[in-house]
């Protein structure tokens, strides 16, 4: 069983309270946030624009939607921004009102929570350990006319794996034939350099909804910004008309208007992940009793193959918080998720893992 009650990573308050220490003393590997921190250009703009708080943001967020549209080369009428992608998930589900939805397990918890708000039967498609947790074409047979909605996370959380592109196209075709709304959660896709995702294919596929988050890549989980995209502008307009007004605060809107243009930050992030991700993977694989899944985003799924070791507990004793995956349907207490952070922090995690798994500190 997971030590913590929280259904998400990043709950340093709860973890620190267990140890009786201030949350700042914990090194957090449980939330998948870009370790470069928020772009310096954004920090400056926030400081310079503090008086935004004294005005209502534009209720239509015209500049924000225009900036997102410019970035993706699509009309702004296809986009609806939300207070984090989480709000976009709930907006979408509230509007589509699916009666029979399929989710993939293990997967992000909020699809289920959003679907449970309505009268929706939830069908699970289980990824399998023997497939290395990769999505296979077995899902094609699981898609039946009874379904009206399918959630896929690309790359998936917590596995970090991106389904084969050909398979995704097949799934998209099958969903179109069967009248299933395909919801692609691309919250972490920005971390994969050169990966465009499905936005360029939306024009011809109004049955596909893409969800994006800016909170992870641009390290603004406290500011919060996400959006949904669909090429049926009437459908998006309908959602816009039903969304709570001013749900995005002025600072988050300002962030969205500028950060997508910060190509130096994007390049620096890809460089960090390319270099440090590779090194981290190698070092993790050298740890005895640990299976590392080849995630492409900024986190890795691990399986601890040593019976009787609770990695979360023993790392917490060393003031390091990792995500136990025991409460993910489809996984169990052997599984953990860790973020990829900067070299120094990663070395601290590796040393703590080594102490737990080998009983010795890492050799230099
Ligand atoms: C797969 C996935 N989608 C969406 C979200 C929500 O992102 P946001 O912080 O933008 O609400 C998360 C957050 O952890 C996530 O893991």
């Amino acid at each position: 069983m997971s030590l913590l009650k929280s259904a998400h990573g990043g709950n340093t308050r709860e973890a620190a309270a267990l140890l009786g220490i201030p949350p700042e003393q914990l090194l957090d590997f449980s939330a998948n946030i870009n370790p470069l921190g928020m772009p310096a250009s954004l920090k400056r703009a926030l400081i310079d624009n503090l008086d935004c708080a004294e005005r209502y943001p534009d209720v239509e967020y015209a500049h924000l939607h225009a900036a997102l549209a410019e970035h993706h080369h699509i009309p702004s009428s296809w986009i609806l921004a939300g207070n984090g992608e989480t709000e976009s998930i709930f907006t979408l589900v509230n509007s589509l009102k699916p009666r029979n939805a399929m989710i993939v397990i293990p997967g992000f918890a909020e699809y289920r929570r959003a679907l449970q708000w309505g009268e929706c039967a939830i069908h699970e498609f289980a990824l399998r350990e023997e497939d290395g947790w990769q999505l296979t074409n077995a899902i094609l047979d699981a898609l039946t006319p009874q379904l009206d909605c399918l959630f896929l996370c690309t790359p998936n959380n917590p596995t970090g794996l991106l389904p084969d592109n050909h398979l995704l196209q097949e799934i998209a075709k099958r969903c179109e034939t069967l009248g299933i709304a395909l919801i692609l959660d691309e919250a972490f896709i920005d971390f994969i350099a050169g990966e465009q995702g499905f936005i360029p294919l939306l024009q011809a596929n109004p049955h596909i909804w893409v969800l994006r988050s800016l909170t992870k890549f641009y390290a603004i989980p406290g500011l919060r910004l996400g959006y949904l995209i669909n090429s049926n502008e009437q459908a998006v307009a309908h959602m816009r008309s039903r969304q709570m007004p001013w749900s995005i605060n002025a600072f988050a809107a300002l962030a969205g208007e500028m950060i997508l243009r910060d190509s130096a930050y994007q390049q620096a992030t890809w460089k960090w992940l390319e270099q440090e991700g590779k090194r981290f993977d190698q070092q993790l694989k050298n740890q005895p009793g640990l299976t590392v899944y080849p995630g492409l985003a900024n986190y890795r799924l691990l399986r601890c193959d040593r019976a009787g070791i609770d990695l979360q507990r023993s790392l917490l004793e060393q003031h390091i918080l990792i995500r136990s995956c025991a409460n993910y349907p489809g996984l169990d207490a052997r599984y953990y998720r860790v973020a990829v952070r900067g070299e120094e922090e990663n070395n601290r995690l590796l040393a703590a893992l080594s102490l737990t798994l080998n009983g010795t500190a890492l050799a230099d």
Side-chain angles (χ1 to χ4, degrees), residues 6 10 15 29 38 50 57-58 92 98 131 137 176 212 236 315 336:
S6 174
F29 278 85
M38 75 161 83
L50 276 181
D58 169 15
L92 187 53
D131 298 324
N137 54 12
E176 186 181 18
R212 290 280 185 121
V236 176
L315 292 177
Y336 301 90

Side-chain angles (χ1 to χ4, degrees), residues 18-242:
L18 278 177
L19 293 173
I21 61 168
E24 305 75 58
Q25 284 183 19
L26 277 179
L27 186 54
D28 184 15
F29 278 85
S30 71
N32 306 320
I33 303 302
N34 189 335
L36 301 190
M38 75 161 83
S41 57
L42 173 59
K43 197 174 267 185
R44 187 71 261 153
L46 292 176
I47 293 166
D48 290 346
N49 287 282
L50 276 181
D51 58 0
C52 274
E54 295 169 352
R55 295 186 294 274
Y56 277 95
D58 169 15
V59 72
E60 289 178 5
Y61 299 100
H63 292 317
L64 170 61
H65 287 124
L68 298 172
E70 184 188 317
H71 178 71
H72 291 298
H73 310 290
I74 54 175
S76 55
S77 53
W78 291 14
I79 307 175
L80 180 59
N83 182 9
E85 192 201 293
T86 305
E87 188 193 23
S88 303
I89 294 171
F90 278 77
T91 303
L92 187 53
V93 169
N94 276 335
S95 178
L96 294 181
K97 299 199 186 326
R99 313 280 306 182
N100 279 283
M102 177 168 278
I103 58 172
V104 170
I105 61 164
F108 183 52
E110 293 303 320
Y111 316 138
R112 188 190 299 273
R113 290 213 325 130
L115 292 164
Q116 281 169 343
W117 271 21
E119 281 176 27
C120 181
I122 299 174
H123 305 256
E124 293 177 344
F125 179 82
L127 300 172
R128 302 184 324 161
E129 192 172 40
E130 53 268 44
D131 298 324
W133 300 112
Q134 186 56 282
L135 192 68
T136 66
N137 54 12
I139 194 166
L140 293 171
D141 291 332
L143 298 175
T144 61
Q146 180 202 11
L147 292 173
D148 44 24
C149 155
L150 168 68
F151 270 96
L152 285 183
C153 187
T154 56
N156 194 21
N157 178 9
T159 64
L161 302 174
L162 197 59
D164 171 69
N165 194 264
H166 179 70
L167 174 59
L168 272 182
Q169 309 265 357
E170 289 295 306
I171 294 170
K173 260 194 247 153
R174 189 150 170 79
C175 284
E176 186 181 18
T177 309
L178 298 177
I180 300 171
L182 173 59
I183 301 170
L184 295 174
D185 181 347
E186 298 184 348
F188 289 99
I189 208 160
D190 284 337
F191 284 100
I192 308 175
E195 186 55 63
Q196 299 290 309
F198 254 67
I199 296 172
L201 306 178
L202 290 184
Q203 170 95 59
N205 290 290
H207 67 296
I208 302 182
W209 297 80
V210 168
L211 295 164
R212 290 280 185 121
S213 169
L214 297 183
T215 66
K216 289 119 193 345
F217 189 87
Y218 295 95
I220 50 167
L223 215 45
R224 314 210 40 64
L225 191 60
Y227 47 103
L228 57 80
I229 310 181
N230 178 263
S231 63
N232 177 346
E233 41 186 62
Q234 282 84 24
V236 176
H238 174 71
M239 288 185 196
R240 182 167 286 134
S241 72
R242 293 174 58 99

